[in-house]
């Protein structure tokens, strides 16, 4: 089996590369990634030593590059992780989100149509369902929840999902979609809440919490997301969407406090800053379909996952210190100074 993993130099894609190389040592994994600010070749250093892994630098929205890769490699399966993924950046500059997340998806599927494929898997997000009220804990997102987006990021992911289903119905492309809740774990870029809090708290810097910190996210350890996608590409039904989540809802304030507790740092580092425009209130995934149909179960609850994650950041300072000492500092100043 030969699998193209797009976005494999990013957070979840790289964890998926390592998952697949370990679980399926006979598979060939090709990572297609154009190394944006979020892509990092250091993350793939160990994978590069494996003869069954190959890295190709290229943009999923560039037709010539993608078609040449398919011509050369004739993959069996494509798993499309490549995306602009940060909501705050999509509020600053939506254009690149539409190009990568929608046009990139179209180009990848056009190549799949031309060269034939056993499965095209689209890695989507629970954000396409919009948000839930904070006072209705009985409500969760199912696969039948209508799409109702809030940010340019989620709108671009929803646009891609609609296109994927259109290619299934119109052209019979064998597709699946997964929609996962918030991930955390190793190789998470420190613009996102959990790694931002860990890396700043270690340096005793203030920790920016948007609004009152009451917004709720449903956290899943990244390895559990990878095992779910592995199941979907092997056993999921073509044309179906699978929600992925582990019932780990926490307010942002609870998350920040849990990290501080794990690090032994004081809560006085918490600083409330101006809220994110259009900030989604609550996400909560109902994973009943993937649990019943494919037998998927997460292996980490939030407390276990946070312990493992904090440990990883403590043991891999070299990985994130390189990031925050570079261009990232300008990003942080632009987004947070005087907020
Ligand atoms: P990330 O930002 O860490 O990584 C994205 C990767 O895609 C990077 O390596 C980047 O270089 C690459 N990339 C970006 N544009 C590209 C292009 N035009 N061509 C080729 N490569 C390109 O993102 P992530 O957090 O790992 O998310 C991966 C996927 O999972 C995304 O599709 C995202 O929407 C989805 N998702 C993320 C989460 C989460 O909590 N992070 C949850 C659910 C779904
Ligand atoms: O739900 C899945 C989504 O989760 C993915 O589709 C996105 O790619 C991923 O980035 C993530 O989106 P969020 O916006 O939920 O993640 P983020 O880490 O940016 O923020 C998590 C929560 O923390 C959110 O309510 C905003 C808040 N926050 C975030 C940052 C960066 C803060 O309070 N302070 C911060 O500095």
């Amino acid at each position: 089996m030969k699998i193209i993993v797009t976005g494999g130099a990013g957070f979840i894609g790289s964890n998926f590369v390592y998952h697949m190389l370990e679980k399926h040592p006979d598979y060939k994994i090709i990572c297609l990634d154009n190394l944006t600010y979020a892509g990092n070749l250091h993350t793939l250093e160990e994978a590069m030593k494996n003869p069954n892994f190959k890295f190709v630098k290229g943009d999923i929205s560039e037709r010539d590059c993608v078609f040449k890769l398919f011509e050369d490699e004739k993959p069996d399966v494509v798993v499309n992780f490549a995306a602009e993924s940060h909501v705050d950046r999509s509020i600053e500059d939506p254009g690149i989100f539409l190009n990568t997340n929608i046009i990139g998806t179209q180009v990848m599927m056009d190549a799949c149509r031309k060269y034939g494929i056993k499965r095209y898997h689209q890695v989507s997000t629970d954000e396409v369902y919009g948000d839930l009220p904070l006072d209705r804990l009985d409500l969760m997102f199912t696969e039948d929840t209508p799409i109702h987006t809030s940010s340019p990021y989620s709108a671009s992911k929803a646009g891609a999902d609609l296109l994927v289903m259109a290619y299934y119905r119109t052209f019979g492309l064998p597709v699946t979609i997964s929609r996962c809740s918030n991930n955390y774990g190793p190789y998470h870029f420190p613009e996102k809440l959990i790694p931002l809090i860990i890396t700043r708290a270690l340096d005793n810097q203030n920790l920016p919490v948007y609004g009152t910190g009451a917004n709720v996210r449903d956290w899943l350890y990244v390895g559990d997301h990878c095992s779910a996608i592995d199941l979907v590409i092997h056993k999921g039904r073509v044309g179906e969407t699978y929600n992925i989540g582990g019932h780990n809802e926490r307010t942002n304030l609870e998350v920040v406090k849990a990290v501080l507790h794990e690090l032994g740092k004081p809560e006085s580092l918490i600083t409330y800053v101006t809220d994110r425009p259009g900030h989604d209130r609550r996400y909560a995934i109902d994973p009943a379909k993937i649990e019943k149909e494919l037998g998927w179960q997460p292996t980490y609850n939030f407390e276990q996952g946070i312990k493992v994650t904090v440990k990883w950041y403590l043991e891999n300072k070299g990985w994130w210190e390189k990031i925050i000492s570079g261009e990232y500092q300008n990003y942080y100043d632009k987004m947070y100074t005087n907020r």
Side-chain angles (χ1 to χ4, degrees), residues 162-186:
L162 293 173
L163 201 59
V164 171
M165 292 316 291
Y167 271 54
Y168 168 61
R169 174 148 176 181
T170 307
F171 305 121
L173 194 72
V175 305
T176 38
I177 297 176
S178 55
R179 293 180 178 149
C180 191
S181 60
N182 285 62
N183 283 214
Y184 65 101

Side-chain angles (χ1 to χ4, degrees), residues 33 53 82 101 180 257 292 326:
D33 196 303
F53 176 78
N101 299 0
C180 191
K257 287 183 179 175
K292 283 196 194 117

Side-chain angles (χ1 to χ4, degrees), residues 12 84-88 124-128 153-154 157 180-183 188 190-197 207-211 213 215-219 252 256 273 275-276 279-281 283 331-332 336 339:
I12 310 173
E84 288 295 331
S85 70
H86 192 34
V87 173
D88 292 331
S124 185
T125 167
D126 61 357
E127 295 202 17
V128 301
Y153 162 70
S154 56
K157 293 295 289 183
C180 191
S181 60
N182 285 62
N183 283 214
H188 203 180
E191 66 187 347
K192 307 284 170 62
L193 181 68
I194 289 180
L196 182 135
I197 296 302
L207 310 176
V209 170
Y210 298 167
N215 300 59
V216 172
R217 295 293 183 265
D218 185 357
W219 294 95
N252 291 339
V256 175
V273 300
D275 210 350
R276 172 186 280 172
H279 198 173
D280 280 337
R281 292 161 296 174
Y283 304 145
Y331 164 82
Y332 191 88
Y336 292 92
R339 182 166 184 154

Side-chain angles (χ1 to χ4, degrees), residues 53-108:
F53 176 78
K54 182 168 163 186
F55 177 80
V56 177
K57 186 171 186 303
D59 186 329
I60 61 163
S61 69
E62 281 178 13
R63 198 161 278 268
D64 291 350
C65 147
V66 169
F67 277 56
K68 179 168 186 320
L69 180 64
F70 274 68
E71 179 72 43
D72 292 347
E73 300 290 351
K74 309 275 182 335
D76 301 296
V77 171
V78 169
V79 184
N80 186 26
F81 288 94
E84 288 295 331
S85 70
H86 192 34
V87 173
D88 292 331
R89 288 185 192 252
S90 82
I91 296 167
E92 290 293 300
D93 181 13
I96 180 79
F97 284 73
L98 307 192
N99 189 64
T100 293
N101 299 0
I102 302 177
I103 303 299
T105 297
Q106 181 213 357
V107 170
M108 292 304 299

Side-chain angles (χ1 to χ4, degrees), residues 286-339:
D286 178 353
K289 180 174 174 180
I290 192 167
E291 287 177 353
K292 283 196 194 117
E293 229 183 91
L294 307 183
W296 176 81
Q297 282 292 329
T299 52
Y300 289 90
N301 65 26
F302 184 71
E303 286 65 34
Q304 295 163 326
I306 279 293
K307 268 193 197 311
V308 174
T309 302
V310 165
K311 187 165 179 283
W312 187 87
Y313 277 83
L314 286 170
E315 288 172 355
N316 291 276
K317 281 191 177 170
W319 182 85
W320 55 267
E321 280 176 348
K322 265 196 207 88
I323 295 172
I324 62 171
S325 62
E327 171 57 28
Y328 176 84
Q329 200 51 54
N330 297 336
Y331 164 82
Y332 191 88
D333 290 344
K334 183 174 164 215
M335 302 298 267
Y336 292 92
T337 305
N338 302 324
R339 182 166 184 154

